[in-house]
Amino acid sequence: MCRKPKLGLAFGAGGARGIAHVGVLKVLQREGIPIDLIVGTSIGALVGAAYAVNPDAFALERRVSEVLEPHTKEKTRLRLLERSYWDVDFKPDFFHRLARTVQKEMFLNLALFRSAVLTEHDLRASVEAFVPDIAIEDTRIPFFSTATDLLSGRPVVLKHGPLIRAVMASCAVPGFMPSVEWEGTVLVDGGLIDVLPAIPAKENGADVVVGVDVGLILRRNHPVEDGIDAIHRATEIMNYYLSTAGRINAEVVIEPVVRNFGWTDFFAFKELIRQGEIAAELKIAEIKEIVKPRFRNSVHRWSRKMIGKRTKNRRTQ
């Protein structure tokens, strides 16, 4: 009897574009694809942790909508990030250039006199909106988040300890969100080293990895105007090529068409989720073929369960 392959999800980094992970989960759940473990980086850690705690993609979609509805505290925090991010909707006229200059100056002032745009309280509250205060080990689906040790420069995979702080560490984009102290290390965004965590998924037990890449493309439609633009652009290029290792080590790569969305376009969540669904549907046949023995067995178990229920109901009539 051949061993059933373990399926792992690798949810990549990408800021607001990572909301597309929710759409991918909706399709996998609807199609009955068994998930054995989840590894998430940055926004992928937030979505992955939320689903690992409560494997209901439709409930998660409703929660995203609730959090991003008008007049919530979480929305106010995200608006602050949005105002700090200048590389969206570029237009060459004077007023838009002036607005970008003001945004950059605001970001520099915050970065110089504070550790980040958001406080630790803000970051924790944003994560708590989706993730309960439990240990990583207590999720219903095994879950791991990745982060970067700011002192040693090494990648870190968080496997135990407080789930909320593990997600905070993975999401902590330097300059925008504060670093997280963890067992003698100082942790920041896992996407600095590993944009698509397929290798950690393999190292932690996955035989088959489905990666979800919500990263960037290299093409740029507007000029690099100053040093801040150059640093930002260099980071984009770095992240693009860092995703290569993850793509190579994933058996299936799902690519939602979200690259035209900005890093802070959280309020486009409905379209981002829809793009995740579309991309997953294009790959669902390939995923089923890879996990066919397990998928067939799960379907058979479901069929037997339903037949048993019908028989029991007939006997009681």
Coordinates of all heavy atoms in Angstrom, one line a residue, residues 226-271:
D226 N 14.3 59.4 -7.3 CA 15.2 59.8 -6.2 C 15.8 58.6 -5.5 O 15.5 57.5 -5.9 CB 14.6 60.8 -5.2 CG 13.3 60.3 -4.7 OD1 13.2 59.1 -4.5 OD2 12.3 61.1 -4.5
G227 N 16.5 58.8 -4.4 CA 17.1 57.7 -3.7 C 16.1 56.8 -3.1 O 16.3 55.6 -3.0
I228 N 15.0 57.4 -2.5 CA 14.0 56.5 -1.9 C 13.4 55.6 -3.0 O 13.2 54.4 -2.7 CB 13.0 57.4 -1.2 CG1 13.6 58.2 -0.1 CG2 11.8 56.5 -0.7 CD1 12.6 59.1 0.6
D229 N 13.1 56.2 -4.1 CA 12.5 55.4 -5.2 C 13.5 54.3 -5.6 O 13.1 53.1 -5.9 CB 12.3 56.2 -6.5 CG 11.0 56.9 -6.4 OD1 10.2 56.6 -5.5 OD2 10.7 57.8 -7.3
A230 N 14.8 54.6 -5.6 CA 15.8 53.6 -6.0 C 15.9 52.4 -5.0 O 16.0 51.3 -5.4 CB 17.2 54.3 -6.1
I231 N 15.8 52.8 -3.7 CA 15.9 51.8 -2.7 C 14.6 50.9 -2.8 O 14.7 49.6 -2.7 CB 16.0 52.4 -1.3 CG1 17.3 53.1 -1.1 CG2 15.7 51.4 -0.2 CD1 17.4 53.9 0.2
H232 N 13.5 51.5 -3.0 CA 12.2 50.8 -3.1 C 12.2 49.9 -4.3 O 11.8 48.7 -4.2 CB 11.0 51.8 -3.2 CG 9.7 51.1 -3.3 ND1 9.2 50.3 -2.4 CD2 8.8 51.1 -4.4 CE1 8.0 49.8 -2.8 NE2 7.8 50.3 -4.0
R233 N 12.7 50.4 -5.4 CA 12.8 49.6 -6.6 C 13.8 48.4 -6.5 O 13.5 47.3 -6.9 CB 13.2 50.4 -7.8 CG 13.3 49.7 -9.1 CD 12.0 49.0 -9.5 NE 12.1 48.4 -10.8 CZ 11.3 47.4 -11.2 NH1 10.3 47.0 -10.4 NH2 11.4 46.9 -12.4
A234 N 14.9 48.6 -5.8 CA 15.9 47.6 -5.6 C 15.2 46.4 -4.7 O 15.5 45.3 -5.0 CB 17.1 48.1 -4.9
T235 N 14.4 46.8 -3.8 CA 13.7 45.8 -2.9 C 12.8 45.0 -3.8 O 12.6 43.8 -3.6 CB 13.0 46.5 -1.8 OG1 13.9 47.3 -1.0 CG2 12.3 45.5 -0.9
E236 N 12.0 45.7 -4.7 CA 11.1 44.9 -5.6 C 11.9 43.9 -6.4 O 11.4 42.8 -6.5 CB 10.4 45.9 -6.5 CG 9.4 46.8 -5.9 CD 8.7 47.7 -6.9 OE1 9.2 47.9 -7.9 OE2 7.5 48.1 -6.6
I237 N 13.0 44.3 -7.0 CA 13.8 43.4 -7.8 C 14.3 42.2 -7.0 O 14.2 41.1 -7.4 CB 14.9 44.2 -8.5 CG1 14.4 45.2 -9.5 CG2 15.9 43.2 -9.2 CD1 15.4 46.2 -10.0
M238 N 14.8 42.5 -5.8 CA 15.3 41.5 -4.9 C 14.2 40.5 -4.6 O 14.4 39.3 -4.7 CB 15.8 42.1 -3.6 CG 16.3 41.1 -2.6 SD 16.7 41.9 -1.0 CE 15.1 42.4 -0.4
N239 N 13.0 41.0 -4.3 CA 11.9 40.1 -3.9 C 11.5 39.2 -5.1 O 11.1 38.0 -4.9 CB 10.7 40.9 -3.4 CG 10.9 41.4 -2.0 OD1 11.8 40.9 -1.3 ND2 10.2 42.4 -1.6
Y240 N 11.5 39.8 -6.3 CA 11.2 39.0 -7.5 C 12.1 37.8 -7.7 O 11.6 36.7 -7.9 CB 11.2 39.9 -8.7 CG 10.9 39.2 -10.0 CD1 9.6 39.0 -10.4 CD2 11.9 38.7 -10.8 CE1 9.3 38.4 -11.6 CE2 11.7 38.0 -12.0 CZ 10.3 37.9 -12.4 OH 10.1 37.2 -13.5
Y241 N 13.4 38.0 -7.5 CA 14.3 36.9 -7.7 C 14.4 36.0 -6.5 O 14.7 34.8 -6.7 CB 15.7 37.5 -8.1 CG 15.7 38.0 -9.5 CD1 15.7 39.3 -9.8 CD2 15.8 37.1 -10.6 CE1 15.7 39.8 -11.1 CE2 15.8 37.5 -11.9 CZ 15.8 38.9 -12.2 OH 15.7 39.3 -13.5
L242 N 14.0 36.5 -5.4 CA 14.0 35.6 -4.2 C 12.9 34.6 -4.3 O 12.9 33.5 -3.7 CB 13.8 36.4 -2.9 CG 15.1 37.1 -2.4 CD1 14.7 38.0 -1.2 CD2 16.1 36.1 -1.9
S243 N 11.8 34.9 -5.1 CA 10.7 34.0 -5.2 C 11.1 32.8 -6.1 O 10.4 31.8 -6.1 CB 9.5 34.7 -5.8 OG 9.7 35.0 -7.1
T244 N 12.2 32.8 -6.8 CA 12.6 31.8 -7.7 C 12.8 30.4 -7.0 O 12.3 29.4 -7.4 CB 13.9 32.1 -8.4 OG1 13.7 33.4 -9.1 CG2 14.3 31.0 -9.4
A245 N 13.5 30.4 -5.8 CA 13.7 29.2 -5.1 C 12.4 28.5 -4.7 O 12.3 27.3 -4.8 CB 14.6 29.4 -3.9
G246 N 11.5 29.4 -4.2 CA 10.2 28.8 -3.8 C 9.4 28.2 -5.0 O 8.8 27.2 -4.9
R247 N 9.5 28.9 -6.1 CA 8.8 28.4 -7.3 C 9.4 27.1 -7.8 O 8.6 26.2 -8.2 CB 8.8 29.4 -8.4 CG 8.1 30.7 -8.1 CD 8.4 31.8 -9.1 NE 7.8 31.4 -10.4 CZ 6.5 31.6 -10.7 NH1 5.7 32.3 -9.9 NH2 6.1 31.2 -11.9
I248 N 10.7 26.9 -7.7 CA 11.3 25.7 -8.2 C 10.9 24.5 -7.3 O 10.8 23.4 -7.7 CB 12.8 25.9 -8.2 CG1 13.2 26.9 -9.3 CG2 13.6 24.6 -8.4 CD1 14.7 27.3 -9.3
N249 N 10.8 24.8 -6.0 CA 10.5 23.7 -5.0 C 9.1 23.4 -4.8 O 8.7 22.5 -4.0 CB 11.2 24.0 -3.7 CG 12.7 23.8 -3.7 OD1 13.2 22.7 -3.6 ND2 13.5 24.9 -4.0
A250 N 8.2 24.1 -5.5 CA 6.7 23.8 -5.4 C 6.3 23.0 -6.6 O 6.7 23.3 -7.7 CB 6.0 25.1 -5.3
E251 N 5.5 22.0 -6.3 CA 5.0 21.1 -7.4 C 4.0 21.9 -8.2 O 3.9 21.7 -9.4 CB 4.4 19.8 -6.8 CG 5.4 18.7 -6.5 CD 6.3 19.1 -5.3 OE1 5.9 19.9 -4.4 OE2 7.5 18.6 -5.3
V252 N 3.2 22.7 -7.6 CA 2.2 23.5 -8.3 C 2.4 25.0 -7.8 O 2.5 25.2 -6.6 CB 0.8 23.1 -8.0 CG1 -0.2 23.9 -8.7 CG2 0.6 21.6 -8.4
V253 N 2.4 25.9 -8.7 CA 2.4 27.3 -8.3 C 1.2 28.0 -8.9 O 0.9 28.0 -10.1 CB 3.7 28.1 -8.9 CG1 3.6 29.5 -8.5 CG2 4.9 27.4 -8.4
I254 N 0.4 28.6 -7.9 CA -0.8 29.4 -8.3 C -0.4 30.8 -8.3 O 0.2 31.3 -7.4 CB -1.9 29.1 -7.2 CG1 -2.3 27.6 -7.3 CG2 -3.1 30.0 -7.5 CD1 -3.3 27.3 -6.2
E255 N -0.8 31.5 -9.4 CA -0.4 32.9 -9.6 C -1.6 33.8 -9.8 O -2.0 34.1 -11.0 CB 0.6 33.0 -10.7 CG 1.9 32.3 -10.6 CD 2.8 32.4 -11.8 OE1 2.6 31.6 -12.7 OE2 3.6 33.4 -11.8
P256 N -2.2 34.3 -8.7 CA -3.3 35.2 -8.9 C -2.8 36.5 -9.7 O -1.7 37.0 -9.5 CB -3.7 35.6 -7.5 CG -3.3 34.4 -6.7 CD -2.0 34.0 -7.3
V257 N -3.7 37.0 -10.6 CA -3.3 38.2 -11.3 C -3.5 39.4 -10.4 O -4.6 40.1 -10.5 CB -4.1 38.3 -12.6 CG1 -3.6 39.5 -13.4 CG2 -3.9 37.0 -13.5
V258 N -2.6 39.7 -9.6 CA -2.7 40.8 -8.6 C -1.6 41.8 -8.6 O -1.4 42.7 -7.8 CB -2.9 40.2 -7.2 CG1 -4.2 39.5 -7.0 CG2 -1.7 39.4 -6.8
R259 N -0.7 41.7 -9.7 CA 0.5 42.5 -9.7 C 0.3 43.9 -9.9 O 1.1 44.8 -9.7 CB 1.5 41.9 -10.7 CG 2.0 40.5 -10.2 CD 2.9 39.9 -11.3 NE 3.5 38.7 -10.8 CZ 2.9 37.5 -10.7 NH1 1.7 37.3 -11.0 NH2 3.6 36.4 -10.2
N260 N -0.9 44.3 -10.4 CA -1.2 45.7 -10.6 C -1.8 46.4 -9.4 O -2.0 47.6 -9.4 CB -2.2 45.9 -11.8 CG -1.6 45.5 -13.1 OD1 -0.4 45.7 -13.3 ND2 -2.3 45.0 -14.0
F261 N -1.9 45.6 -8.3 CA -2.4 46.2 -7.1 C -1.2 46.6 -6.2 O -0.2 45.9 -6.2 CB -3.3 45.1 -6.3 CG -4.6 44.8 -6.9 CD1 -4.7 43.8 -7.9 CD2 -5.7 45.5 -6.6 CE1 -5.9 43.5 -8.5 CE2 -6.9 45.3 -7.2 CZ -7.0 44.2 -8.2
G262 N -1.4 47.7 -5.5 CA -0.3 48.2 -4.6 C -0.2 47.4 -3.4 O -1.1 46.6 -3.0
W263 N 1.0 47.5 -2.7 CA 1.3 46.8 -1.5 C 0.2 47.2 -0.4 O 0.0 46.3 0.5 CB 2.7 47.2 -1.0 CG 3.1 46.6 0.2 CD1 3.5 45.3 0.4 CD2 3.3 47.2 1.5 NE1 3.9 45.0 1.7 CE2 3.7 46.2 2.4 CE3 3.0 48.5 2.0 CZ2 4.0 46.5 3.8 CZ3 3.2 48.7 3.4 CH2 3.7 47.8 4.2
T264 N -0.4 48.3 -0.5 CA -1.3 48.7 0.6 C -2.8 48.8 0.1 O -3.6 49.4 0.7 CB -0.9 50.1 1.1 OG1 -0.9 51.0 0.1 CG2 0.4 50.0 1.8
D265 N -3.1 48.1 -1.0 CA -4.5 48.2 -1.6 C -5.4 47.2 -0.9 O -6.1 46.4 -1.5 CB -4.4 47.8 -3.1 CG -4.0 49.0 -3.9 OD1 -4.0 50.1 -3.4 OD2 -3.7 48.8 -5.1
F266 N -5.4 47.3 0.5 CA -6.3 46.4 1.2 C -7.7 46.5 0.9 O -8.5 45.5 1.1 CB -6.0 46.6 2.7 CG -4.6 46.3 3.2 CD1 -3.7 47.2 3.3 CD2 -4.3 44.9 3.5 CE1 -2.4 46.9 3.8 CE2 -3.1 44.6 3.9 CZ -2.1 45.6 4.1
F267 N -8.2 47.7 0.5 CA -9.6 47.9 0.3 C -10.1 47.4 -1.0 O -11.3 47.6 -1.3 CB -9.9 49.4 0.6 CG -9.4 49.8 2.0 CD1 -8.2 50.6 2.0 CD2 -9.9 49.3 3.1 CE1 -7.7 50.9 3.3 CE2 -9.4 49.6 4.4 CZ -8.3 50.4 4.4
A268 N -9.2 46.8 -1.8 CA -9.6 46.1 -3.0 C -9.8 44.6 -2.7 O -9.6 43.8 -3.6 CB -8.6 46.4 -4.1
F269 N -10.1 44.3 -1.5 CA -10.1 42.9 -1.0 C -11.1 42.0 -1.9 O -10.8 40.9 -2.1 CB -10.4 42.8 0.4 CG -11.8 43.3 0.9 CD1 -12.8 42.4 0.9 CD2 -12.0 44.6 1.2 CE1 -14.1 42.8 1.3 CE2 -13.3 45.0 1.6 CZ -14.3 44.1 1.7
K270 N -12.2 42.6 -2.3 CA -13.1 41.7 -3.0 C -12.5 41.2 -4.4 O -12.6 40.1 -4.7 CB -14.4 42.5 -3.3 CG -15.2 42.7 -2.0 CD -16.5 43.5 -2.3 CE -17.3 43.7 -1.0 NZ -18.6 44.4 -1.3
E271 N -11.9 42.1 -5.1 CA -11.3 41.8 -6.3 C -10.0 40.9 -6.1 O -9.8 40.0 -6.9 CB -10.9 43.0 -7.1 CG -10.2 42.8 -8.5 CD -11.1 42.0 -9.4 OE1 -12.3 42.0 -9.2 OE2 -10.6 41.4 -10.4

